[in-house]
C-alpha cells in the first residue's frame, strides 16, 4: 500500500511543479513600449579627432501612463524588467549634403537618472559614410534599465567622433523603444 501511495504522491508533485512553471510563464508578458520622441539640437562641432558630446536630452517619463497605454491589466509594480530595444535619431531639419548623420564616424549613447551612475545603452562603432537623415543605433547589450526608467525623468547623453566637422545646427529627434517584461 505504501508503494502505490508514494508513486501517486511523486506523480502529483511532478505535475504540480510543471503546472506552476507553466502558470508563471503564462502570467509574464513581453511588451514593446515607445515613449514620445523628443527633439533636440545638434550644435555645430568642429572637433574631429576625439569623441565629443553631441547632445544631452532630458526626458520626463510618466511610467504609469505608459503602462496603462501599452499594457492594460498591469501596473508599475508588475514591471519585472526594462531593457533598451532600439534607439533612433532622425534629423528634423537643417541637414544638407555637408551636414547630416554621415558626418558621424561613430556614435554612442548613455542613460542616467537621479542617484544612478551613467550606463552605456547604445553603440555604433562604424557609421557608414553615406548621406543620411535617420540612424538606428544598436543596443549595447542586455542591460537592465528598470531602476533608471522607474523615476520621473532620465537623461540621454549622445557622444560621437566626427569624420567631418558640422557647420550648422541640426534639429533632431530621438525615439527610444524599450522591451518591458510584466509579471503578475
Amino acid at each position: 500500500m505504501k508503494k502505490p501511495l508514494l508513486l501517486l504522491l511523486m506523480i502529483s508533485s511532478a505535475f504540480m511543479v510543471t503546472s506552476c512553471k507553466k502558470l508563471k510563464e503564462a502570467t509574464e508578458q513581453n511588451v514593446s513600449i515607445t515613449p514620445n520622441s523628443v527633439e533636440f539640437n545638434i550644435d555645430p562641432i568642429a572637433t574631429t579627432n576625439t569623441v565629443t558630446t553631441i547632445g544631452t536630452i532630458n526626458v520626463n517619463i510618466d511610467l504609469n501612463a505608459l503602462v496603462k497605454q501599452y499594457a492594460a491589466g498591469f501596473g508599475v509594480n508588475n514591471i519585472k524588467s526594462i531593457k533598451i530595444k532600439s534607439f533612433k535619431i532622425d534629423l528634423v531639419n537643417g541637414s544638407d549634403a555637408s551636414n547630416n548623420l554621415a558626418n558621424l564616424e561613430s556614435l554612442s549613447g548613455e542613460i542616467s537618472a537621479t542617484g544612478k551612475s551613467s550606463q552605456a545603452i547604445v553603440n555604433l562603432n562604424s557609421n557608414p559614410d553615406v548621406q543620411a537623415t535617420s540612424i538606428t543605433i544598436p543596443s549595447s547589450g542586455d542591460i537592465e534599465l528598470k531602476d533608471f526608467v522607474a523615476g520621473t525623468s532620465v537623461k540621454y547623453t549622445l557622444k560621437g567622433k566626427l569624420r567631418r566637422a558640422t557647420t550648422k545646427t541640426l534639429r533632431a529627434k530621438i525615439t527610444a523603444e524599450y522591451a518591458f517584461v510584466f509579471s503578475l
Side-chain angles (χ1 to χ4, degrees), residues 85-98:
K85 201 170 176 181
S86 68
F87 198 84
K88 185 177 180 187
I89 300 174
D90 291 297
L91 296 181
V92 178
N93 62 36
S95 68
D96 57 31
S98 300

Side-chain angles (χ1 to χ4, degrees), residues 20-39:
C20 288
K21 184 177 179 183
K22 287 181 181 178
L23 181 61
K24 181 184 175 202
E25 290 172 359
T27 61
E28 283 190 2
Q29 184 175 355
N30 297 324
V31 179
S32 292
I33 294 181
T34 306
N36 292 334
S37 298
V38 178
E39 291 192 13

Side-chain angles (χ1 to χ4, degrees), residues 33-103:
I33 294 181
T34 306
N36 292 334
S37 298
V38 178
E39 291 192 13
F40 69 103
N41 287 331
I42 301 173
D43 293 324
I45 301 171
T47 306
T48 59
N49 57 352
T50 62
V51 173
T52 186
T53 299
I54 294 167
T56 301
I57 307 102
N58 292 306
V59 180
N60 293 320
I61 295 178
D62 184 350
L63 205 51
N64 286 319
L66 287 173
V67 170
K68 284 179 184 177
Q69 179 182 353
Y70 288 93
F74 290 100
V76 173
N77 294 334
N78 299 115
I79 298 171
K80 183 177 175 183
S81 174
I82 303 173
K83 298 185 179 173
I84 193 78
K85 201 170 176 181
S86 68
F87 198 84
K88 185 177 180 187
I89 300 174
D90 291 297
L91 296 181
V92 178
N93 62 36
S95 68
D96 57 31
S98 300
N99 294 278
N100 61 74
L101 294 173
N103 292 60

Side-chain angles (χ1 to χ4, degrees), residues 73-178:
F74 290 100
V76 173
N77 294 334
N78 299 115
I79 298 171
K80 183 177 175 183
S81 174
I82 303 173
K83 298 185 179 173
I84 193 78
K85 201 170 176 181
S86 68
F87 198 84
K88 185 177 180 187
I89 300 174
D90 291 297
L91 296 181
V92 178
N93 62 36
S95 68
D96 57 31
S98 300
N99 294 278
N100 61 74
L101 294 173
N103 292 60
L104 296 165
E105 183 177 314
S106 63
L107 186 61
S108 64
E110 299 174 348
I111 190 171
S112 60
T114 305
K116 304 287 178 200
S117 298
S118 294
Q119 174 69 54
I121 55 171
V122 294
N123 188 41
L124 181 64
N125 287 323
S126 181
N127 184 36
D129 191 5
V130 177
Q131 185 174 342
T133 58
S134 180
I135 189 170
T136 300
I137 311 167
S139 169
S140 292
D142 200 27
I143 301 162
E144 182 55 55
L145 300 175
K146 181 179 173 184
D147 291 340
F148 288 91
V149 182
T152 57
S153 66
V154 297
K155 179 172 73 173
Y156 297 117
T157 302
L158 298 173
K159 297 179 180 182
K161 182 176 181 302
L162 274 69
R163 65 171 51 95
R164 286 180 299 280
T166 55
T167 57
K168 64 182 189 175
T169 299
L170 301 173
R171 186 76 178 155
K173 71 176 180 177
I174 59 164
T175 306
E177 182 181 9
Y178 295 96

